[in-house]
Amino acid sequence: MRNKIIGAIGILWGGAILLRYFLNRNTVAGDSAYASGQKAAVVFGALLLIVGLYSFAKGMKKSDTM
């Protein structure tokens, strides 16, 4: 059950970060620190989504066998 909850949170947060990035691509010209922060957030969101999907699938697989 814990894997399902943690996976669902990862899916929601990671998906929200990526959705926000793709829907609102406003970049500030000349501010490389801000652009780097945005790229780091997108990488973090993608990793969070992937790990959330893995954890959720792992939790589903365990509950099927019990």
Side-chain angles (χ1 to χ4, degrees), residues 9-66:
I9 291 170
I11 292 168
L12 290 174
W13 280 2
I17 291 169
L18 292 177
L19 184 66
R20 168 99 168 127
Y21 173 73
F22 288 122
L23 290 179
N24 190 12
R25 284 190 163 181
N26 294 337
T27 57
V28 177
D31 193 4
S32 62
Y34 185 76
S36 297
Q38 281 185 328
K39 289 177 186 175
V42 170
V43 169
F44 176 72
L47 289 174
L48 193 59
L49 180 64
I50 292 167
V51 171
L53 287 170
Y54 173 76
S55 181
F56 190 77
K58 186 177 174 183
M60 293 296 285
K61 191 177 226 184
K62 281 188 178 180
S63 67
D64 289 342
T65 58
M66 291 186 162

